[in-house]
Amino acid sequence: LILERHGGADGFMGVYALDAFDPPLPNKAAVVARVVELHAIATTRSVLVGDSVEDASAADANGVPFIAAMYGYGHPDSGKHPVAARIDVLTDLPARLVDLAL
C-alpha cells in the first residue's frame, strides 16, 4: 500500500512478508532466500532495501547488498552488517542504484 500510495509499486516484482508463504517462513532471511530462488534473482545484481537490523541481517545472510532506509521505523545501520548505501527518502533509491552500478 505504501508503494502504491507513493507511486513506486510498478517498479517491483512483488512485496513479501513472512506470512506471504504457506506455511509462513520463520524469519526474514528465509523470506529473502525463498524470493531469490522463486524469481531466480542474481544477488550480485539486486539489493534489499530495509529499515531494520533484521533487514540488514537477512540481506547479509543471503549475499544481497543492503541499502539502509534511514527514514523508516527501525534503525538499520547498527554496524553489525555491511551497508552498501543509505537513503533518506525513497526517491534517493535510483541514484544509489546508479552509484552501485545496478
Side-chain angles (χ1 to χ4, degrees):
L1 292 174
I2 293 169
L3 287 172
E4 289 173 11
R5 185 172 300 136
H6 294 284
D10 50 333
F12 295 85
M13 293 187 325
V15 178
Y16 299 94
L18 301 177
D19 60 359
F21 302 93
D22 188 24
L25 297 176
N27 54 50
K28 286 185 181 182
V31 172
V32 173
R34 179 73 61 85
V35 171
V36 164
E37 178 183 2
L38 181 68
H39 294 287
I41 294 171
T43 58
T44 58
R45 298 281 306 145
S46 59
V47 298
L48 189 152
V49 179
D51 68 349
S52 72
V53 171
E54 188 178 15
D55 295 335
S57 176
D60 191 27
N62 287 281
V64 178
F66 179 69
I67 295 182
M70 305 308 290
Y71 56 87
Y73 297 109
H75 302 283
D77 197 358
S78 69
K80 294 181 181 180
H81 305 283
V83 174
R86 291 166 186 79
I87 57 175
D88 293 317
V89 293
L90 185 58
T91 54
D92 288 344
L93 184 57
R96 295 300 76 73
L97 295 175
V98 169
D99 293 345
L100 296 170
L102 296 172

